[in-house]
Amino acid sequence: MAVISERFDSLGAGGAPAKLGLMGGTFDPIHNGHLRVAEEMREALDLDAVLFIPTGAPVFKRDQNVTDPEVRFANVRAAVAGNPHFDVSRIEIDREGDTFTVDTLRQLREHYPENVEFYFIVGSDTAATVGKWKGREEIAQLAHLAVAVGRPGSADADALREAVMAAGPFQLHLVRVSVLEISSTDIRERLAQGKSIRYFVPESIGKNLAGYPVGAHSGRPECAASGKPESEDPLSKAFFNARKAELEKRVSPKRFQHSLGVSDTCVQLAKEYGLDVKKARLAGLLHDWDKGYDDDQARARVRELHMEDEIDPYIVEQMPGVLHGITAARALGQELPGIPADILQAISRHTTAAPDMSPLDMALYIADAIEPNRQFGRIDELRAAVGRETLEELYFQTYEYWVFLLFERRKPLHPDTIAIWNAYTARHPRKGKRGNGDGSVSGKKHKGKK
Ligand code: ATP
Ligand code: MG
């Protein structure tokens, strides 16, 4: 198990000097401004690697609603995946309580050998708050401070240098970076207004943002619906029943039964794999919210929700059958603010999956395939694997089976299929076993053969 990050846990282990950049942030969501700053810092300061560290409960944003840490983390992970010098760390997300940089630096110092130097990277707006940082004297001892200047609205460099040096004995590097006038706040506002955010965020995460910013909640799930009447708490039974009655009017009787089956199965999976049962119940119920539309209606739904810029036109034209997950997530987020973002994400991904599925995403994806009303092919094999295989392995077997069916039926593959397939084959190679040549995955028939 990685302690700090999958890619850089053993940085500096050989004893040679190494420089590690640390890019902390709320990343709600991550955008190209963050990525570009990290890249330019890496070049300017000759860093060996840059670690992105999404905050758990950000102290300076206590009064704001911050999106679920797992959702923010998954997007950072997807955004940095293509750059071998970048990685993401869970250390702040996994730590209980308020997030303080000084605690993070101490933890990193304990992990890495002395020959690894830390460069704490911040934008000038963050640097300007240095006088308020907890443990700033110690931070100055533990890491260099690399400040990206040139950000619009920032204090000028001299004033900034003065403010930083007054706050502690920092080893300060002011690095002029290309100004990208992008902020997460602006992205959330654009999404709320139904505007395009294309080219502000990497293509790989654009479509993940269906649940933003509505449905966002404080970093602590238990606060999500505090102070609201029972029926408005999206995880309450009353809310579930109200949506159930609406769903019955939106989809065919068969589809309605399927949705109830998926909800029950998703709950079973949640219990089996230790996930939030109420979230699983609601995600299952709502996943086919937009399934009552035919192809042209599904396309019209994309326009109605102003999602044309976020979805590949090829998909809208050629594969309208996969649109219902993405549009349902957006529509539900807008119509019923308060549904947690991780539920919306699972709904958004249930048709085509993604390379970085969260546990809830995986549970919904599996439940959709194996709920009791589904009767085809080798579904029983997957049902039998519940509890025997890990959630991720079960999800991948389900995905594998699905892709096989698409091949068999000569159906087009979603363009993301290769990326998803390769992400999982890299993590879960089939050791010593081969497929049975018929899409089954038990490995029984050919056992022993090499
Ligand atoms: P928000 O608007 O929600 O505050 P943000 O875009 O400022 O989001 P954060 O996650 O708060 O993003 O920022 C993480 C770090 O990245 C901070 O140190 C911030 O100063 C820096 N940063 C963010 N956007 C830019 C940008 N466009 N250029 C330079 N630095 C940036
Ligand atoms: Mg900020």
Side-chain angles (χ1 to χ4, degrees), residues 53-378:
I53 310 177
T55 47
V59 180
F60 289 121
K61 295 185 179 173
R62 255 185 204 146
D63 50 341
Q64 298 172 23
N65 275 348
V66 174
T67 303
D68 187 291
E70 296 299 339
V71 172
R72 292 183 286 114
F73 174 84
N75 286 326
V76 175
R77 183 160 105 162
V80 303
N83 187 332
H85 299 290
F86 289 178
D87 201 4
V88 59
S89 174
R90 294 190 60 90
I91 52 173
E92 290 196 351
I93 288 179
D94 289 342
R95 198 164 60 222
E96 296 284 307
D98 290 334
T99 300
F100 292 108
T101 299
V102 66
D103 300 328
T104 305
L105 291 174
R106 280 189 201 139
Q107 190 177 343
L108 292 166
R109 192 67 282 165
E110 268 170 36
H111 176 85
Y112 287 103
E114 282 304 308
N115 48 304
V116 176
E117 275 188 305
F118 301 142
Y119 286 76
F120 183 50
I121 301 170
V122 294
S124 51
D125 56 335
T126 303
T129 67
V130 63
K132 293 192 231 160
W133 296 358
K134 184 186 163 211
R136 51 186 183 274
E137 298 269 333
E138 195 179 341
I139 294 176
Q141 302 301 330
L142 286 164
H144 294 248
L145 183 63
V147 181
V149 290
R151 203 180 181 189
S154 66
D156 71 23
D158 290 340
L160 202 56
R161 182 183 298 278
E162 231 170 78
V164 171
M165 296 324 288
F170 284 95
Q171 301 175 68
L172 178 64
H173 309 260
L174 290 179
V175 180
R176 214 157 262 290
V177 298
S178 317
V179 175
L180 295 183
E181 211 176 322
I182 308 177
S183 73
S184 304
T185 304
D186 181 48
I187 289 173
R188 294 193 302 272
E189 281 168 9
R190 282 171 194 270
L191 284 166
Q193 293 159 8
K195 289 191 191 157
S196 163
I197 53 151
R198 205 165 183 189
Y199 309 122
F200 281 143
V201 301
E203 295 275 326
S204 59
I205 74 154
K207 61 186 171 308
N208 293 357
L209 301 179
Y212 269 82
V214 279
H217 59 88
S218 87
R220 292 148 213 268
E222 59 277 17
C223 305
S226 56
K228 290 193 182 160
E230 235 290 276
S231 58
E232 280 178 36
D233 172 359
L235 299 181
S236 69
K237 191 75 194 171
F239 185 93
F240 179 92
N241 286 335
R243 302 295 82 76
K244 185 172 149 185
E246 287 169 11
L247 182 70
E248 193 165 13
K249 296 188 201 131
R250 292 178 66 90
V251 296
S252 70
K254 205 171 153 217
R255 183 63 51 186
F256 181 62
Q257 286 311 318
H258 164 71
S259 300
L260 299 181
V262 173
S263 180
D264 288 346
T265 307
C266 207
V267 164
Q268 282 166 23
L269 290 167
K271 287 182 181 160
E272 181 69 42
Y273 293 102
L275 316 183
D276 186 316
V277 169
K278 290 181 181 172
K279 286 184 175 179
R281 178 177 73 176
L282 188 62
L285 180 78
L286 297 180
H287 79 290
D288 273 351
W289 189 249
D290 269 7
K291 189 73 179 185
Y293 300 121
D294 67 22
D295 286 356
D296 278 334
Q297 287 168 332
R299 293 185 186 108
R301 185 77 159 153
V302 168
R303 291 192 296 274
E304 175 197 331
L305 293 165
H306 306 292
M307 299 181 82
E308 299 101 316
D309 289 344
E310 293 163 50
I311 308 173
D312 184 347
Y314 171 83
I315 306 287
V316 178
E317 224 16 74
Q318 302 296 322
M319 310 178 83
V322 307
L323 296 172
H324 67 275
I326 318 171
T327 59
R330 176 60 59 83
L332 286 163
Q334 290 182 357
E335 287 160 23
L336 300 163
I339 297 181
D342 48 354
I343 294 184
L344 297 177
Q345 175 175 294
I347 293 171
S348 166
R349 292 174 159 192
H350 88 269
T351 41
T352 50
D356 54 345
M357 299 278 275
S358 74
L360 184 63
D361 296 345
M362 293 193 267
L364 180 60
Y365 189 87
I366 299 163
D368 190 18
I370 69 170
E371 64 93 9
N373 297 294
R374 297 269 206 198
Q375 282 159 1
F376 53 88
R378 304 187 163 273

